Amino acid sequence: MSEGFDFLGFRLQWKRKRGTDKWYVYTFIADRPVRSLKDKIRALTHRLSQQPPRDVLRRLNRIMRGWSNYFRYAVAKSTMVE
């Protein structure tokens, strides 16, 4: 469990809480869903796309809102900053 494992897009791992000696199970976002999200965004925002910007922004909004709602309980500060 200290190495962690992936389950349903989350990475579950034992980690020691900063400043204490207690260990907790942390839930992170796995690498694969992040790559998948980036691929979707790249495909949708291709420079030679003939789609109207309004439709692209609506689609992007739906994708990002759904993705962030699914992963809302994960520890994602470092993932979102990248």
Side-chain angles (χ1 to χ4, degrees):
M1 187 75 175
S2 63
E3 293 178 17
F5 63 94
D6 292 344
F7 181 71
L8 295 177
F10 292 95
R11 177 139 191 94
L12 303 169
Q13 188 174 11
W14 278 103
K15 284 198 159 225
R16 188 177 58 81
K17 186 175 179 180
R18 285 180 154 184
T20 67
D21 291 332
K22 292 186 179 185
W23 287 76
Y24 294 95
V25 175
Y26 282 90
T27 307
F28 300 101
I29 300 173
D31 294 334
R32 194 166 148 214
V34 174
R35 281 194 311 262
S36 174
L37 176 69
K38 287 181 179 181
D39 291 342
K40 285 180 185 177
I41 292 173
R42 278 190 201 106
L44 199 60
T45 58
H46 191 324
R47 289 181 186 267
L48 300 177
S49 174
Q50 298 296 320
Q51 298 177 9
R54 180 181 217 163
D55 294 341
V56 172
L57 288 174
R58 283 183 180 164
R59 181 74 180 134
L60 274 174
N61 189 23
R62 275 192 230 140
I63 291 170
M64 294 297 293
R65 188 176 342 120
W67 195 84
S68 62
N69 283 336
Y70 182 77
F71 290 109
R72 89 177 83 173
Y73 298 110
V75 178
K77 183 178 180 180
S78 64
T79 304
M80 299 298 180
V81 173
E82 294 174 356

